[in-house]
Amino acid sequence: MTSDAGLGALPHLPVDRRMADLIAALAPNEGIVATDIPGVSVMRSNRAQPRRPVVYTPSVVIVAQGRKVGYVGETVHVYDRDHYLVLSVLMPFECEIALATPQEPFLGLKVAVDTVVLGELMMALEAEGPGVSPVPAVCSSRLPPQLRDAALRLLSCLSSRQDSRVLGPQLVREILYRVLQSDQGLALRALSGVGGNFGQIARALQRIHVEYASALDVESLADTAGMSVSAFHQHFKTVTANSPIQYIKSIRLHKARLLMAKAGHSAKSASVAVGYASTSQFSREFKRFFGASPGEETARVRHLQLEA
């Protein structure tokens, strides 16, 4: 995505301004752009966008300019140039871009969480898991200076393919280390699978993401987690802010959107692929969930080059 010519960061500018300039150079158009470092992408939106369902993979999101607001159940998460977001499971929730203009677009950095690197860091830190009680899968907090600085250096190295290849993985590792050491470290410690009920819920979540097109039921998912049905319901909602049935439905609809937007499926073939027996029921639930018909939403995602 980049050449060996520098992106021209100006060292005398404030850190967030330098980050914004680097992201703007990497993402001259709206959408989500993969970089030369696996798992690292940048985001741009030139205008505010209304609240709508999205899915985030386990990741750390750092904003250089603008503001996003995420809604998980009744909890509101703001992430802007002073606050970052941590997601510890593949998570459906609602999100809006609250602050963005053509003159000052929303600009953000997303770093996927590599569980292997995370486990190595946990071992190096001799860190323990989050304890018995599960922690919420989505957390936002004030951005520490050390994490902001690491994000700037990660963005700066993207001006060179060689720097990206040699320095990029170490800078990603540093970002995960900084998050582990921050207020939101519990979310990543939970993802590492070290102890706690979070790991049991994570097993059920993994099964959902593999078998979403199958006829899943709460009893078998609770069995996968090694919990009673009542305990599974309680801990599942603590982690995801959804009931198991709501979570399964949202994952199916997001998977269908991905098939239509990225793989060229029709609404009918996508609905069958994700487990719907009725195309009309799928279309109704899709429109209720996304606020747009399958055709309208597919066109929007393709136009903005979004991750579906």
Side-chain angles (χ1 to χ4, degrees), residues 23-101:
I23 294 172
L26 290 163
N29 301 311
E30 287 189 289
I32 300 172
V33 179
T35 72
D36 289 329
I37 302 174
V40 176
S41 57
V42 292
M43 304 172 284
R44 178 182 186 135
S45 178
N46 294 339
R47 59 192 183 279
Q49 295 186 23
R51 178 173 172 175
R52 65 175 65 246
V54 297
V55 167
Y56 273 8
T57 53
S59 55
V60 178
V61 181
I62 298 171
V63 175
Q65 183 171 276
R67 180 182 303 118
K68 270 193 173 185
V69 181
Y71 302 88
V72 182
E74 297 181 355
T75 305
V76 178
H77 299 278
V78 175
Y79 41 125
D80 52 22
R81 67 182 188 179
D82 294 320
H83 301 84
Y84 71 106
L85 190 77
V86 177
L87 298 104
S88 54
V89 297
L90 190 84
M91 185 70 187
F93 68 113
E94 294 187 321
C95 179
E96 68 173 308
I97 297 178
L99 183 61
T101 66

Side-chain angles (χ1 to χ4, degrees), residues 19 61 96 125 131 138 153 155 182 185 193 200 232 260 284 290 295:
M19 289 173 58
V61 181
E96 68 173 308
L125 291 169
V138 182
R153 285 184 280 112
L155 288 166
S182 73
Q200 294 172 274
F232 177 71
M260 291 185 291
R284 287 194 303 272
F290 288 108

